[in-house]
Amino acid sequence: MKFTRIHLALVAATSMTHGVVMADTSDSDVGTIGVQGKATAGGGYMVQEESAKGRSTITKEALDKQTATGNAIDKLKYTPGLNISSEDNTGLSGFRFTMRGMNSDQVGMSVDGMPINDSGNYALYSNLLGDPENIDQIFVTQGSSEADGPHIGSSGGNIGIVTIRPTKETGAFVKQVVGSNATRKTFARLNTGEVNGLSNWLSASHTEGQMWRGSGAVRADKVEWNSFFDAGNGNTANLILKYHEQDNNSYSQLTKAQFQQYGRKYDPYPATPAVGANGKVSSYYDLAQNPFQTFTAVLNTQYKLSDNLSLSVIPYYYYGNGSGVGSSAYALNSGSNKGGVFDLGNLPTQAQYNADGSATTGVYYRPSRTQTWRPGITTKLNWDLGDHSLQFGYWYERARQSQTQPFIALKNNGKPSDTWPDGNSVVDANGNTVQGRDRYTVTPAQKVWTQDTWYINSDWTLIAGIAYMNVERDGTNHGSLTEQPGKASQTYNKLLPNAGLKYQLDERDQLFYSLSRNMRIPQNYVLYDKGVGSLDSKPELSWNQELGWRYTGEDSTLAATLFYMQFKNRQLTSLDSNGDSADINAGTVINKGLELEWSGKLLHNFNYYTSYTYTSSKQQDDLTVYSAGKPIVLPTSGKQFANVPTNMLAANIGYDDGRFYGTFGGKFTSKLYGDLTNDEAISARTIFNLGAGIYLPVDKKVVKDATLRLNVDNLFDKKYLDGVYTTKTNSASYSGFRDGDPAYIVGLDRTVTVSLEANF
């Protein structure tokens, strides 16, 4: 733990508070701080939605009753449309998901209006999700995107996290969690109370645990600050700062054959250094490191210009620094300079290294480091004309991303001499840091839009808008051991219309239809890939349509949505030989299906929630690949897209009488394929989870309330593979070509967490 960085975050939080003026209090589909709909009696898993599109919301009640260490994505496991795979129960490691057949890197995600998908490859990481104790709600728009969404990598849909506001009263909240695999979490939040319209809270947490499979541990520290200022007359501001620092070992993934032969606890990352034929360390679990630090700041401001005119300005900033890498050691010697960029004459030859009798010389820890600097701003002008509500908006962001691979020496025991690649790296004879990759990408992105919400009468509402998006990719390759320096750039732009229609049949029934056009820009790797036509890769385009019905009664709420999504130039993210992300153009793909949600209350303090999802994700074209320069056509037309289950059914029964509560839930997920040719699939599974709690009697003079909670995930200890980590085009051989074995995330074993929390 580097406390100096946390101190800097605290200082920044304190100093920036004094400059806060006016923040957004209006509803927003990018999830600034607005709340749409009313809570239902289904245990917090569903609210009464009002938008003219498919949307699901999970509230703090349900968030608190799930596993105490789970992150925001983990807590969406019962939400329709989503199939989530997580690597452990601490909430600190990796995860993947699909939503209506879209991969997680095709779904936009925002925290209080700030986009958090990686600016280069659109991946989502747990270190940007914040402490779940500070989340008020999470909403999901499963398919139809929003005009004001600040995303360049979203094929449709959005997940938004809304942070809790500071309270007007002074107080404190503390929580201690213990669980399986030596999991420990300590969390504390202090509310300053309101003074002259300004209220704040500061939180800090420490989480750690042993890896449930393989050797190693995960550790993270978080500090978050939230200031809310109400200047009166509708002028408000909300400043939210988050700092996260982790020092984790990375999980391995298994092929289906490895899982079947060795079981779920098998780890190909060796617990002791493996030595190759040359006597050098070749692989070791402690080389699979994932250290990372992030700092984010977002200021949601709302200015009431007149009775019918308001201005929202949301500046944000993201900084990230860290790396992720597998368990292999990398050789480096005087003969390694294939790119001609470095002078490695200061290093011994491979033969000299092999003859020196040491297992750690000539081989190095080589992290794949990424640094990101990402400022942006969203501005919206809302004009209320009575029957019409107009919005004019502009979003701009300029992301800069440096991706390098320095070489760091190993200690005698095979561990890296430093896991943070800020120094101690190998330099060449001229003093230049030797790099296995050295790329710098600048991505200016902007969107301008206008949207009209027409309240035709008390029953009919029509929404229509159009956005224009322009994105540039400007890449500089500084040269590496294998690449010559060079530059490349590409520009993408498109008009993106959207429309929605809502009809209120009566006080209980509502119908809606939505249509939207979306564009996903190719990843930044296309600027550097050597493949033919890589730089000319086309953006993924999609048309998303939804038709839905909502029913709200006294004791139950029901939602049903039909969806149809047509993709052109569907991009599939895989990994290249260097472990970097790479896009595959899968042509035209059509996703269609049905989502159902139903929640309500029963007799004797019981409640229920259930969801069902049917997804058909069919490829429309055969895929052409190249082997030894020859084209090979793979039979992918008509096949289900990889990592997309056809059927999912979730259900949860809850009980809460104000003294005790309990939840029992489960989810069925049908089989899914690991490759585009559907030659390999993993089995269907049904996983059950249990939760229980006691609201403890307390002395109200000191402790306002206290709760003891128990959660058991995978109650019956099901052994299963949970989702695709690396998708292959074909795992069987076609014309002598085989792409290899898909890699899968291993489903978690039974895990138990116990937490004690109190408000003061």
Side-chain angles (χ1 to χ4, degrees):
M1 180 64 200
K2 296 177 172 60
F3 289 102
T4 55
R5 296 189 178 99
I6 285 187
H7 292 161
L8 289 174
L10 287 171
V11 171
T14 305
S15 62
M16 291 180 70
T17 302
H18 300 291
V20 175
V21 287
M22 312 175 191
D24 192 352
T25 57
S26 62
D27 293 345
S28 173
D29 276 343
V30 294
T32 51
I33 46 181
V35 178
Q36 287 197 356
K38 298 178 181 179
T40 68
Y45 284 96
M46 188 177 182
V47 306
Q48 178 185 340
E49 305 285 359
E50 297 296 335
S51 62
K53 63 181 69 173
R55 178 178 168 121
S56 300
T57 301
I58 179 171
T59 69
K60 190 166 182 56
E61 178 186 359
L63 296 174
D64 288 344
K65 291 178 180 178
Q66 294 194 46
T67 303
T69 52
N71 61 47
I73 295 297
D74 295 332
K75 294 178 184 291
L76 296 174
K77 56 191 171 188
Y78 296 151
T79 302
L82 283 161
N83 177 42
I84 299 168
S85 306
S86 296
E87 292 185 324
D88 75 0
N89 70 319
T90 66
L92 302 178
S93 296
F95 61 83
R96 300 288 177 94
F97 66 82
T98 60
M99 187 167 78
R100 289 190 180 176
M102 297 178 290
N103 292 322
S104 51
D105 59 5
Q106 294 174 296
V107 177
M109 188 163 186
S110 57
V111 176
D112 301 298
M114 178 184 66
I116 64 169
N117 298 75
D118 186 274
S119 64
N121 67 358
Y122 313 125
L124 291 167
Y125 304 107
S126 58
N127 55 347
L128 288 166
L129 301 179
D131 269 316
E133 291 82 1
N134 292 331
I135 297 176
D136 181 64
Q137 66 166 243
I138 308 169
F139 68 84
V140 180
T141 52
Q142 285 93 338
S144 183
S145 64
E146 55 285 328
D148 58 353
H151 305 292
I152 65 172
S154 174
S155 303
N158 181 61
I159 297 176
I161 297 175
V162 181
T163 301
I164 61 172
R165 282 184 179 172
T167 62
K168 294 184 178 181
E169 301 79 22
T170 302
F173 174 78
V174 296
K175 183 176 182 179
Q176 180 62 50
V177 184
V178 296
S180 302
N181 307 304
T183 299
R184 301 286 187 275
K185 179 174 182 177
T186 302
F187 174 88
R189 182 177 62 240
L190 175 65
N191 278 280
T192 65
E194 182 182 6
V195 179
N196 296 325
L198 177 64
S199 53
N200 316 275
W201 58 249
L202 172 68
S203 74
S205 72
H206 173 77
T207 308
E208 62 181 52
Q210 296 298 312
M211 297 175 66
W212 75 274
R213 35 182 305 270
S215 303
V218 292
R219 297 167 293 273
D221 294 273
K222 297 182 177 72
V223 175
E224 301 184 22
W225 176 274
N226 190 331
S227 289
F228 182 77
F229 180 61
D230 188 346
N233 299 319
N235 297 305
T236 57
N238 193 204
L239 172 67
I240 302 171
L241 309 176
K242 297 178 185 286
Y243 178 82
H244 173 107
E245 184 170 298
Q246 69 183 40
D247 192 5
N248 296 348
N249 288 98
S250 299
Y251 279 93
S252 62
Q253 293 76 41
L254 300 183
T255 65
K256 185 177 180 180
Q258 289 173 322
F259 177 77
Q260 292 174 336
Q261 182 175 357
Y262 303 113
R264 64 183 176 185
K265 289 298 185 81
Y266 173 70
D267 183 16
Y269 296 169
T272 57
V275 178
N278 60 354
K280 303 295 180 180
V281 172
S282 60
S283 182
Y284 184 29
Y285 86 90
D286 230 3
L287 298 177
Q289 299 284 342
N290 183 209
F292 222 95
Q293 57 184 190
T294 57
F295 174 75
T296 62
V298 58
L299 177 62
N300 290 280
T301 67
Q302 178 75 14
Y303 301 87
K304 190 75 171 180
L305 304 180
S306 66
D307 289 342
N308 65 345
L309 193 64
S310 64
L311 175 65
S312 173
V313 181
I314 310 173
Y316 62 85
Y317 179 76
Y318 161 68
Y319 169 74
N321 174 37
S323 63
V325 69
S327 66
S328 298
Y330 293 84
L332 181 67
N333 53 67
S334 60
S336 300
N337 190 21
K338 299 178 181 179
V341 175
F342 301 103
D343 180 359
L344 301 182
N346 59 321
L347 300 180
T349 65
Q350 180 180 5
Q352 289 172 324
Y353 275 132
N354 291 345
D356 66 9
S358 171
T360 58
T361 55
V363 290
Y364 297 84
Y365 168 66
R366 194 192 73 181
S368 291
R369 183 190 194 185
T370 299
Q371 289 179 285
T372 304
W373 305 264
R374 189 177 179 183
I377 187 169
T378 301
T379 303
K380 294 181 285 186
L381 183 67
N382 294 283
W383 190 12
D384 186 4
L385 299 177
D387 292 341
H388 291 266
S389 180
L390 301 177
Q391 182 180 99
F392 305 93
Y394 177 70
W395 167 65
Y396 177 77
E397 176 183 276
R398 187 176 186 270
R400 296 173 292 142
Q401 192 169 71
S402 172
Q403 297 171 294
T404 58
Q405 290 178 341
F407 290 79
I408 298 174
L410 303 182
K411 300 177 183 178
N412 292 335
N413 59 7
K415 298 179 183 292
S417 58
D418 192 353
T419 58
W420 291 88
D422 294 315
N424 201 29
S425 302
V426 176
V427 298
D428 70 356
N430 298 316
N432 299 313
T433 300
V434 180
Q435 301 282 5
R437 175 190 66 179
D438 192 354
R439 302 167 178 174
Y440 182 77
T441 308
V442 181
T443 307
Q446 55 187 332
K447 178 195 282 190
V448 60
W449 71 91
T450 181
Q451 184 164 282
D452 178 20
T453 301
W454 180 17
Y455 304 100
I456 301 173
N457 54 41
S458 59
D459 297 328
W460 289 91
T461 303
L462 174 65
I463 302 170
I466 190 167
Y468 174 77
M469 182 182 289
N470 175 269
V471 181
E472 299 177 41
R473 291 282 200 193
D474 186 5
T476 301
N477 191 335
H478 294 293
S480 66
L481 288 174
T482 59
E483 297 175 323
Q484 287 292 315
K487 290 181 176 291
S489 63
Q490 190 60 277
T491 301
Y492 312 89
N493 50 72
K494 183 68 65 175
L495 283 172
L496 305 172
N498 72 88
L501 182 64
K502 184 174 66 172
Y503 174 54
Q504 194 72 39
L505 283 79
D506 51 42
E507 62 180 13
R508 294 187 174 188
D509 295 277
Q510 182 185 101
L511 296 175
F512 66 87
Y513 170 78
S514 70
L515 171 69
S516 66
R517 179 71 154 167
N518 304 282
M519 176 173 68
R520 180 182 188 265
I521 305 303
Q523 298 180 2
N524 64 346
Y525 296 102
V526 301
L527 302 175
Y528 310 103
D529 289 344
K530 302 303 180 184
V532 177
S534 175
L535 185 61
D536 298 322
S537 296
K538 297 179 180 179
E540 177 179 282
L541 299 173
S542 66
W543 281 104
N544 299 342
Q545 298 185 69
E546 297 176 301
L547 179 63
W549 165 63
R550 298 187 182 108
Y551 167 84
T552 303
E554 292 183 3
D555 297 328
S556 65
T557 301
L558 175 66
T561 306
L562 291 167
F563 63 89
Y564 184 91
M565 308 170 67
Q566 183 173 7
F567 295 88
K568 183 179 180 182
N569 300 314
R570 172 67 186 268
Q571 297 168 10
L572 168 69
T573 301
S574 187
L575 299 178
D576 62 19
S577 58
N578 290 322
D580 292 333
S581 296
D583 276 347
I584 298 172
N585 190 328
T588 300
V589 177
I590 293 178
N591 293 353
K592 57 185 177 181
L594 169 68
E595 291 171 353
L596 299 173
E597 257 189 308
W598 185 21
S599 75
K601 62 181 180 180
L602 302 169
L603 297 176
H604 306 298
N605 302 306
F606 283 93
N607 60 72
Y608 64 90
Y609 172 83
T610 185
S611 68
Y612 170 73
T613 306
Y614 168 78
T615 307
S616 170
S617 180
K618 299 297 185 181
Q619 303 167 79
Q620 305 299 303
D621 307 308
D622 288 332
L623 180 65
T624 300
V625 298
Y626 292 86
S627 178
K630 296 181 179 180
I632 297 174
V633 178
L634 300 178
T636 54
S637 178
K639 302 293 178 67
Q640 180 84 347
F641 208 80
N643 202 31
V644 181
T646 302
N647 293 285
M648 294 185 290
L649 175 64
N652 187 80
I653 293 291
Y655 173 84
D656 195 329
D657 64 1
R659 179 67 186 276
F660 301 96
Y661 77 81
T663 65
F664 178 71
K667 184 172 183 178
F668 165 79
T669 306
S670 64
K671 75 174 184 179
L672 50 85
Y673 295 100
D675 59 2
L676 298 182
T677 50
N678 291 181
D679 291 311
E680 181 174 290
I682 58 176
S683 302
R685 68 273 188 186
T686 303
I687 308 301
F688 292 95
N689 308 295
L690 177 70
I694 304 174
Y695 303 110
L696 301 173
V698 295
D699 180 2
K700 299 289 185 178
K701 294 180 180 179
V702 179
V703 181
K704 297 176 183 177
D705 58 71
T707 307
L708 179 65
R709 305 182 189 272
L710 167 71
N711 289 90
V712 184
D713 293 330
N714 193 3
L715 179 64
F716 301 111
D717 205 22
K718 178 76 173 180
K719 298 177 176 65
Y720 63 103
L721 290 174
D722 199 19
V724 182
Y725 185 84
T726 303
T727 303
K728 297 296 184 179
T729 58
N730 58 306
S731 56
S733 181
Y734 293 88
S735 302
F737 172 73
R738 181 175 180 272
D739 193 26
D741 296 314
Y744 302 94
I745 294 176
V746 181
L748 305 181
D749 62 357
R750 182 193 295 118
T751 57
V752 180
T753 55
V754 178
S755 66
L756 177 62
E757 63 187 54
N759 274 295
F760 296 89

